[in-house]
Amino acid sequence: MSLTARIDLDAIAHNTRLLKRQAGDANLVCIVKADAYNHGVVRCVPVMEANGADAFGVATLAEAREVRALTRLPVMCWLWDPSDDIPEGIELAAPTMEHLLRLIDAPFTPTTYLKVETGMHRSGFDESAWDEVFALAAEAEQAGRIRVKGLMSHLAYADNPQDPYTDTQAEQFRAAINRGRAAGLELSCNHLANTAATWTRPDLHFDQVRPGVSLYGIDPIVGAGTGQGASADKGLRPAMSWVADILAVKRIGKGDPVSYGLTWHAPHDGFTAVVPAGYADGVSRAWQPHLQITVRGTRYPVVGRVCMDQMVIWLGANEEGVTAGERAVIFGPGGMSATELAGRIGTIDYEVLCSPKGRTRREYC
């Protein structure tokens, strides 16, 4: 059985170069959390570094340690527990007083970003705490206990450039920078822009930008793209194809049921094909009415219930002569794009990219 996530490293390189140009004078922080959005940090980080990355960003300390071993560029982490052992050589975001005090008490001088709340309402210091936090951080910095590199925050709705909420958040972020500097912090490296704002809001690039999903070829802007996983105006190239080798082709008669629950019956005599990917591998059962598998450039519907290890496609009369062993594209170049699939199933393409798991192996090209 062959189930493969094919990762195009040339596409990763191309997308990194595009984002480096888009960043302008700002540093390019490549976000590689969740194993580089399920593309593999071990192979992706060196490619990004060679094509314009200035730093890397991850969520957890475990991810930070892995990336730290792959590059000499700065590595930033923002989702950690104050009870964790703090490693040297990793830049840590402080979203609460407990995090900040833990950094101040570290046995070395850690580099930190203070995360401020600007409207995401997820994590970060509320405006009512800014003056206290900035004063404490400035005092600790003057004592050599920490190094405050800058402020950071996160945009909630930058993927809809027409919505004014991004401007509201930007105003809050600028106010935080001004108050932090008034408290004695230099704040030389501030960042707010996610992937969407990197593309649409150069006025919000500040000192560095934090693109993620576009590194892997996805346009995050609402309504953007062609439905084929790329946007002509940006020139992004999707890097992941999820493919499988057809396990079997079977003749069935009109009215014959397929898979558990007898939820689908053949409309006429024809052929089915078994694709060895199921919900244990990341193909949700909820995808079944929406997913089309591509073989030889032709799309075929998934019929019957998706199983733990396999799913069935309807070939009809099998005019293309599909046989066992042929490659079937679940999503990606050559088939349904992650963007189109996400739209059909009511989610985002980020989630689709993170879906391949289980017995899926990666293959780089």
Side-chain angles (χ1 to χ4, degrees):
M1 184 180 92
S2 176
L3 179 60
T4 306
R6 301 184 73 249
I7 310 300
D8 183 348
L9 293 176
D10 285 342
I12 299 285
H14 168 82
N15 298 331
T16 305
R17 292 192 296 268
L18 285 181
L19 286 159
K20 178 61 175 176
R21 289 198 292 269
Q22 183 65 23
D25 294 332
N27 287 337
L28 176 66
V29 182
C30 292
I31 304 303
V32 292
K33 63 182 180 178
D35 202 14
Y37 289 47
N38 205 25
H39 290 66
V41 291
V42 171
R43 298 296 296 273
C44 290
V45 163
V47 171
M48 293 175 186
E49 181 168 355
N51 286 276
D54 296 300
F56 292 94
V58 296
T60 69
L61 282 176
E63 293 173 342
R65 290 186 179 96
E66 184 175 12
V67 175
R68 175 75 288 155
L70 298 170
T71 179
R72 295 185 178 181
L73 295 177
V75 178
M76 174 183 62
C77 168
W78 58 81
L79 195 64
W80 56 283
D81 191 301
S83 65
D84 292 334
D85 291 332
I86 298 177
E88 292 192 61
I90 293 172
E91 299 177 350
L92 297 171
T96 72
M97 183 64 77
E98 187 178 6
H99 288 83
L100 179 57
L101 292 174
R102 178 70 178 89
L103 292 171
I104 291 172
D105 289 340
F108 57 94
T109 304
T111 296
T112 185
Y113 290 96
L114 302 177
K115 190 173 185 181
V116 293
E117 172 61 62
T118 60
M120 183 74 162
H121 297 118
R122 190 170 64 179
S123 66
F125 293 106
D126 292 333
E127 183 178 6
S128 60
W130 287 356
D131 292 335
E132 178 187 4
V133 168
F134 296 157
L136 175 63
E139 179 182 357
E141 187 168 51
Q142 291 167 8
R145 304 294 296 276
I146 61 172
R147 178 191 173 220
V148 180
K149 196 168 181 179
L151 302 186
M152 66 178 291
S153 191
H154 197 64
L155 295 171
Y157 203 25
D159 51 329
N160 186 351
Q162 287 73 43
D163 194 281
Y165 197 67
T166 296
D167 292 322
T168 300
Q169 287 196 259
E171 183 179 350
Q172 278 287 93
F173 192 61
R174 292 189 182 100
I177 293 172
N178 290 336
R179 283 166 64 174
R181 287 174 174 165
L185 296 170
E186 182 180 355
L187 303 182
S188 62
C189 191
N190 306 294
H191 47 103
L192 176 66
N194 56 6
T195 311
T198 298
W199 288 115
T200 65
R201 296 298 299 266
D203 58 316
L204 302 185
H205 284 183
F206 290 94
D207 303 294
Q208 58 188 28
V209 296
R210 307 189 308 262
V213 76
S214 281
L215 291 163
Y216 313 101
I218 300 296
D219 190 332
I221 309 303
V222 172
T226 63
Q228 298 302 314
S231 178
D233 58 331
K234 296 180 179 62
L236 294 167
R237 289 168 47 187
M240 180 188 290
S241 297
W242 196 16
V243 301
D245 293 340
I246 291 175
L247 189 63
V249 173
K250 184 180 183 66
R251 181 189 294 273
I252 64 173
K254 179 180 179 180
D256 285 348
V258 168
S259 196
Y260 294 116
L262 313 183
T263 60
W264 183 88
H265 296 75
H268 52 76
D269 293 350
F271 296 83
T272 59
V274 177
V275 178
Y279 55 78
D281 307 296
V283 181
S284 170
R285 280 171 48 125
W287 290 11
Q288 184 272 318
H290 313 286
L291 179 61
Q292 294 176 328
I293 306 298
T294 304
V295 185
R296 295 191 190 177
T298 299
R299 291 188 181 190
Y300 299 99
V302 175
V303 295
R305 289 181 177 167
V306 172
C307 308
M308 183 181 290
D309 316 299
Q310 55 197 300
M311 55 185 164
V312 179
I313 61 175
W314 173 238
L315 301 175
N318 196 13
E319 296 174 353
E320 298 293 328
V322 174
T323 60
E326 293 197 59
R327 173 159 290 180
V329 181
I330 302 170
F331 71 76
M336 177 180 284
S337 72
T339 300
E340 181 183 356
L341 177 57
R344 287 184 172 216
I345 63 180
T347 187
I348 55 176
D349 29 24
Y350 300 67
E351 183 178 359
V352 171
L353 291 182
C354 290
S355 293
K357 61 177 183 178
R359 290 151 292 197
T360 303
R361 62 180 181 86
R362 290 199 189 108
E363 176 183 285
Y364 291 91
C365 56

